[in-house]
Amino acid sequence: MLKTTQSTKLAIFGAAPAFTQKLHVGRPNIGDRDQLMERINDVLDRKWFSNNGKYVQEFEKRLAEFTGAKHCIAMCNGTIALEIVIRALGLTGEVIVPSFTFVATAHALQWQEITPVFCDIDPETHTLDPAQVERLITPRTSGIMGVHVWGRPCQIDELTELAQRRNLKLAFDASHAVGCSYKGRMLGNFGEAEVFSFHATKFLNAFEGGAVVTNNDELAAKIRLMKNFGFGPGYDNVIYVGTNGKMNEMSAAMGITGLESVDDFIATNYRNYKQYQAELRDVPGVRLVTYNEAEKNNYQYIILEIDEWEAGINRNELVKVLHAENVLARRYFYPGCHKMEPYRSYFPNAHLLLPETEKLTEKVMSLPTGTGVTPEDISKICGIIRLAIQDSDRVRRALQDELLATVPTDKQLAAEITVR
Ligand code: T4K
């Protein structure tokens, strides 16, 4: 009886939403706004907006120092940075990637007519399963692209050993992983190269931006040429085929400003993470993905896995409950790259080799965190989740009724057919 009374407080039962404003996943971290404006005004005063300007150079230097890597080449976004790395490494034929990633990882290969071969993940780490990677190697395989999903590192030692033994190139999509480490060493130092994204939604943002970080001198020189039309020293001196991957000065100003505040961003994210962990600890069927606190983490992602049998509702139903409350939880990375076009047409049977990916994409969701979320917000979000699961039968019935209400009646269907 108590359960029923409590759950009527949920918006799906007609109560007012818990939040009057929409609460998003991925709100940008800004840092010291005055510093940012000072830099932006300086860019405007100096009238130097792009082409390896002062702020881009400074950002590259600071990021290289931050990661401890030898070279950092800033770019206009993470996707172009991935495309350029793939080309600079001379990858061809097939490259093994997880399907459980943002679609840009796969597109960066397909865009260059290289086949992304989707590999299953380890259900614990959410990253490539090295044993499965080995099974997918064919004579056409030229490389492996691991993704440090949620900033949690891939099984780097195993992948490095495999790549060396099978003579394959290894690179990492480290879009989520600025400020994270593996065995005490910052990500950015592994494989041939690693790629960061500084999209607005990322831990460190440059409005839009990306970077390649590498310890390989030759590769770095090639990538620098490629991202700037192949221009060599001096004017009008094109010595290589290239594209336009340059970062602009405004983006670099934002990137530097964010970099100066990473400790604050991490402290806030960590506080949020611990609070979610404490408040969701005993909610049945809800598992918060954890970070290895012996390593450096940016704690940028609050990820839940929902076990439908224990929770009584599934991930999609919980997302609906939260959306009704104006909490815009996301289903990253639903439905998996192998179920998106063109890949689902190219590889209609890919799911047979991806059982863990298939399971994870059905149960994973991402919650709001970052500097824009307060402890009170988190308590409210956890309270909503708790209530929905406590009264899962009623929640499920309400959502099914809502679904039925949107199914057209025979009469409506007939009317529609007549109009056509
Ligand atoms: N590899 C991986 C593993 C990646 O996750 C990504 C990017 C890449 C490669 C490619 O890097 P970039 O080329 O993007 O540098 C978003 C981002 O657009 C994408 O950058 C990101 N991954 C991906 C995980 O998420 P959507 O389609 O979910 O974006 P959207 O527009 O729905 O925004 C997400 C939420 O963020 C919204 O609910 C609102 C909030 N938001 C968004 C923007 C743009 C803001 O509050 N402010 C903003 O300015 O893809």
Side-chain angles (χ1 to χ4, degrees), residues 36 39 59 62-63 198 204-207 247 249-262 265:
L36 173 64
R39 289 188 172 113
F59 184 51
R62 288 209 194 183
L63 202 69
F198 308 121
L204 176 68
N205 88 83
F207 303 128
M247 178 178 270
E249 286 289 273
M250 293 292 186
S251 287
M254 180 76 241
I256 295 167
T257 308
L259 208 45
E260 287 172 345
S261 288
V262 286
F265 300 159

Side-chain angles (χ1 to χ4, degrees), residues 28 31 126 128 145 190 237-238 359 400:
H126 297 185
L128 276 181
M145 176 76 72
F190 298 97
N237 180 27
V238 174
K359 275 187 251 165
Q400 275 164 0

Side-chain angles (χ1 to χ4, degrees), residues 66-85:
F66 180 73
T67 56
K70 223 164 152 189
H71 305 280
C72 169
I73 304 123
M75 304 233 186
C76 52
N77 61 54
T79 305
I80 293 285
L82 280 170
E83 286 172 14
I84 291 180
V85 163

Side-chain angles (χ1 to χ4, degrees), residues 23-28 75-82 100-106 108 147-150 173-176 195-202 205 207-211 301 328-330 332-333:
L23 202 59
H24 292 270
V25 169
R27 296 302 266 169
M75 304 233 186
C76 52
N77 61 54
T79 305
I80 293 285
L82 280 170
F100 190 73
T101 179
F102 188 61
V103 72
T105 323
V147 182
H148 305 308
V149 177
W150 323 132
D173 178 339
S175 290
H176 298 183
V195 170
F196 292 131
S197 163
F198 308 121
H199 182 260
T201 55
K202 293 291 182 282
N205 88 83
F207 303 128
E208 285 266 9
Y301 298 93
L328 302 189
R330 296 292 297 261
Y332 293 126
F333 293 107

Side-chain angles (χ1 to χ4, degrees), residues 18-31:
F19 294 89
T20 47
Q21 305 275 333
K22 294 194 187 311
L23 202 59
H24 292 270
V25 169
R27 296 302 266 169
N29 291 322
I30 294 174

Side-chain angles (χ1 to χ4, degrees), residues 3-43:
K3 279 165 53 177
T4 310
T5 320
Q6 287 296 314
S7 71
T8 52
K9 291 179 182 163
L10 293 173
I12 53 158
F13 295 120
F19 294 89
T20 47
Q21 305 275 333
K22 294 194 187 311
L23 202 59
H24 292 270
V25 169
R27 296 302 266 169
N29 291 322
I30 294 174
D32 185 334
R33 190 181 283 233
D34 291 339
Q35 271 287 343
L36 173 64
M37 295 318 291
E38 211 174 285
R39 289 188 172 113
I40 287 177
N41 279 322
D42 184 45
V43 171

